[in-house]
Amino acid sequence: MNACVRAVVRSAVGAGHEVVGIYRGYQGLLEEDFFIAADSQPHMVLRSVSNLGKLGGTVLHSSRSKEFREEAGRKRAAAVLKKHGIDALIPIGGDGTFHGAVALADHWDGKIVGCPGTIDNDLIGTDYTIGFSTAVQTAVEAVDKIRDTAESHERMFLIEVMGRHSGYIGAYTALAAGAEVVCVPETATDIPRIVEHLHVLRKRGKSSVMVIVAEGDELGDAAKIKGELTAAGAPWAIRTVVLGHLQRGGTPTPEDRILASRCGDFAVRSILDGATGVMAGVIADQNVLTPFQETYSRHREIPQHLLDLLAVLSK
Ligand code: F6P
């Protein structure tokens, strides 16, 4: 997200505009909690974002605002924007952030163009979301390390990755790390079938197995699935690891930095062209604007060919 903030500032300031950095998203807006530059003014200048692209997390912080969920809160947020002469907003976030943007537009006539910032990769209107690549990188590194233990101790590991409603991180991690099984909410987790497959793998001489479990799997979390696999006779001793928030930090990958830079710059240019109510994404290497409502209108399915590939490789 920092690379996106940097791009917004450099692009907008470069075009002669002033940028106000709002801390903690909508909650910070309600509290008029703005970034103060070295000149003690509430704005972000070119030097405010120096060397930001390589930092994980977000220097502007993030929060979930209860007050903004209420209409009264959004009215007050609109009043704050007017009070400070802010005429355009670039929220960086996922579906919750964009729901908020749509609701804010009922009370505020400034322009709003969002950037896709979520590790879940669950938005329509962009091939990838900012943070996804880094989260997968972290998860893959962890799985690679755990594989060493699994191999030496001849064990099976269930590794739970993030993705509250989405199996994208799970599927990509499983493919990249060469996991044998993935459990994601998009496909039915069939315990007897998995156990049957595990027996085949064992007979073929496999000494370790990695099962990637998306936290949002319809059958439950890694602990629950471990219980079911054990009860169904899985032929390995099972351990579970929950990667959790480890996946939301760390040095961003080049892919994430470039995507974030593109989206931030495109959001600024789109606002200057008169766009509003849309998310700036990248599809097939092209900058694309998608109405906020469409970005969260339906579940983003994992391409079946990726899941098929995993099955082909799991030998
Ligand atoms: O929505 C992004 C996400 O990272 C999910 O994958 C995860 O379930 C959730 O946020 C965790 O949220 P929190 O940090 O509030 O527990």
Side-chain angles (χ1 to χ4, degrees):
M1 284 197 190
N2 283 321
C4 190
V5 173
R6 173 175 176 269
V8 168
V9 171
R10 294 270 163 99
S11 182
V13 172
H17 297 272
E18 194 172 15
V19 177
V20 177
I22 301 169
Y23 281 116
R24 296 179 292 119
Y26 296 127
Q27 186 57 36
L29 174 61
L30 286 164
E31 294 171 20
E32 300 176 56
D33 188 5
F34 301 147
F35 181 97
I36 305 295
D39 62 3
S40 305
Q41 294 305 303
H43 62 176
M44 297 188 88
V45 297
L46 295 174
R47 292 281 71 75
S48 309
V49 292
S50 294
N51 304 318
L52 221 55
K54 63 189 174 71
L55 297 183
T58 160
V59 292
L60 289 179
H61 300 244
S62 180
S63 68
R64 304 196 196 278
S65 172
K66 267 193 195 150
E67 190 184 346
F68 192 81
R69 280 193 195 159
E70 308 295 327
E71 181 153 29
R74 294 191 292 273
K75 275 189 186 161
R76 210 164 70 68
V80 172
L81 288 164
K82 281 178 205 151
K83 174 180 160 191
H84 290 277
I86 295 171
D87 49 19
L89 192 64
I90 301 183
I92 309 169
D95 62 334
T97 303
F98 297 160
H99 271 101
V102 169
L104 176 65
D106 289 341
H107 306 286
W108 185 61
D109 57 10
K111 305 222 176 304
I112 314 179
V113 175
C115 291
T118 165
I119 62 167
D120 290 349
N121 206 38
D122 59 351
L123 294 169
I124 308 292
T126 190
D127 285 341
Y128 296 105
T129 54
I130 299 161
F132 173 69
S133 164
T134 305
V136 171
Q137 160 110 339
T138 302
V140 169
E141 276 172 14
V143 177
D144 287 350
K145 286 177 179 153
I146 294 166
R147 175 74 86 171
D148 292 343
T149 295
E151 271 291 299
S152 25
H153 293 259
E154 300 195 10
R155 277 180 188 162
M156 174 164 137
F157 275 83
L158 300 198
I159 302 169
E160 186 181 306
V161 297
M162 274 186 158
R164 203 178 349 217
H165 306 294
S166 172
Y168 254 96
I169 296 176
Y172 270 61
T173 300
L175 259 179
E180 282 74 16
V181 179
V182 68
C183 302
V184 290
E186 288 78 5
T187 58
T189 298
D190 184 338
I191 296 290
R193 246 185 89 189
I194 295 174
V195 171
E196 201 181 306
H197 181 52
L198 292 174
H199 280 285
V200 171
L201 294 178
R202 186 100 224 200
K203 277 199 197 104
R204 282 194 196 134
K206 273 246 173 203
S207 44
S208 69
V209 164
M210 296 306 207
V211 178
I212 309 300
V213 178
E215 63 173 336
D217 187 70
E218 79 290 350
L219 214 59
D221 59 13
K224 170 93 191 312
I225 293 176
K226 175 188 171 183
E228 302 227 356
L229 287 172
T230 306
W236 268 282
I238 306 178
R239 296 287 187 273
T240 56
V241 176
V242 179
L243 296 183
H245 290 78
L246 186 76
Q247 296 154 93
R248 275 223 300 237
T251 304
T253 61
E255 287 81 4
D256 262 336
R257 300 183 203 192
I258 292 167
L259 174 66
S261 303
R262 287 185 67 172
C263 291
D265 167 69
F266 182 44
V268 169
R269 287 188 293 108
S270 302
I271 284 172
L272 298 179
D273 286 346
T276 189
V278 290
M279 179 192 81
V282 176
I283 299 178
D285 204 34
Q286 301 298 309
N287 294 331
V288 177
L289 294 177
T290 303
F292 283 135
Q293 292 91 338
E294 208 181 311
T295 64
Y296 51 73
S297 59
R298 61 190 157 85
H299 187 81
R300 182 158 165 208
E301 297 299 329
I302 297 168
Q304 187 56 44
H305 66 90
L306 293 182
L307 299 171
D308 292 345
L309 177 60
L310 194 79
V312 167
L313 301 181
S314 173
K315 296 281 189 266

